[in-house]
Amino acid sequence: MSRLIIKESELSQIRKMYLIENVEDKKDGTTMKASQVFWDFIKFEEGDPEKPNGSIKEPVLKAYKDTSDVWTIGYGHTGKDVKPGLVINKEQSLDLLYKDASEAADCVRRFLGEWKELDLETYMLTQGQFDSLVSLVFNSGCGSVRMSRFIQYIKSGQNKKATESILKYKASNNGLKNRRKKESNMFIS
């Protein structure tokens, strides 16, 4: 007796091909909050590669320049407050993470609210779609995501094209290509 075994990578391809979505799984994106999957993902992607802690990483407590030559600290926090020599503690890094993630989620809820006011059904999302969008905004900024090709595909209900387009969105190095693959998979989860 043979068993059919499907690898996760194959399952991901099948999902992308058919993009099976249950209407029951979709919720009003204007009221959604990021799930634990999102929080673990951000801590893994934005944490200190030198200090893994299982499936998440510890924050970087001393300011450094990221791959885009931007001063960064904690779990991917950037801004005018991050300067050479800045050192923070773990609690401060978590405060910055929650602030930055809240701003990213607020951005997503705002543009979904605009779609809702236009009577577009695409403001209804699965949890994976919402988490993926918040991650993309967290990484790239609100304005950049709002102007992206993949967001236009989502807005028009072309989720298969959106899923494929996420893979190419600002993926200038191997690290970002890997992250986009994960975000694309999150989008279809």
Side-chain angles (χ1 to χ4, degrees), residues 123-138:
Y123 75 92
M124 300 290 287
L125 300 177
T126 64
Q127 186 64 54
Q129 290 170 331
F130 184 81
D131 289 345
S132 176
L133 291 175
V134 175
S135 176
L136 287 155
V137 170
F138 185 94

Side-chain angles (χ1 to χ4, degrees), residues 40-81:
D40 293 345
F41 178 78
I42 290 297
K43 287 178 180 177
F44 179 81
E45 290 296 320
E46 300 285 354
D48 188 344
E50 303 296 319
K51 296 182 183 176
N53 183 9
S55 63
I56 62 173
K57 296 177 184 168
E58 294 296 316
V60 180
L61 301 177
K62 184 175 179 183
Y64 67 97
K65 283 196 173 186
D66 69 6
T67 57
S68 299
D69 208 32
V70 175
W71 284 102
T72 307
I73 200 161
Y75 287 110
H77 176 73
T78 60
K80 295 177 183 175
D81 56 330

Side-chain angles (χ1 to χ4, degrees), residues 14-144:
I14 291 168
R15 283 186 186 132
K16 282 183 186 175
M17 201 157 69
Y18 297 104
L19 205 60
I20 301 166
E21 295 177 355
N22 292 325
V23 175
E24 306 86 50
D25 293 339
K26 292 192 170 203
K27 296 180 176 70
D28 182 341
T30 65
T31 62
M32 292 179 86
K33 295 184 187 306
S35 73
Q36 189 61 48
V37 170
F38 165 81
W39 292 105
D40 293 345
F41 178 78
I42 290 297
K43 287 178 180 177
F44 179 81
E45 290 296 320
E46 300 285 354
D48 188 344
E50 303 296 319
K51 296 182 183 176
N53 183 9
S55 63
I56 62 173
K57 296 177 184 168
E58 294 296 316
V60 180
L61 301 177
K62 184 175 179 183
Y64 67 97
K65 283 196 173 186
D66 69 6
T67 57
S68 299
D69 208 32
V70 175
W71 284 102
T72 307
I73 200 161
Y75 287 110
H77 176 73
T78 60
K80 295 177 183 175
D81 56 330
V82 185
K83 297 176 177 21
L86 177 65
V87 177
I88 60 175
N89 61 39
K90 189 170 180 177
E91 185 178 330
Q92 290 169 313
S93 73
L94 290 172
D95 288 344
L96 291 170
L97 170 61
Y98 298 138
K99 176 186 158 295
D100 294 343
S102 292
E103 289 174 5
D106 286 344
C107 166
V108 173
R109 286 189 288 265
R110 268 193 315 275
F111 67 71
L112 293 174
E114 292 167 9
W115 299 356
K116 186 175 181 178
E117 287 179 15
L118 294 170
D119 287 329
L120 300 175
E121 293 180 20
T122 51
Y123 75 92
M124 300 290 287
L125 300 177
T126 64
Q127 186 64 54
Q129 290 170 331
F130 184 81
D131 289 345
S132 176
L133 291 175
V134 175
S135 176
L136 287 155
V137 170
F138 185 94
N139 183 246
S140 304
C142 187
S144 179

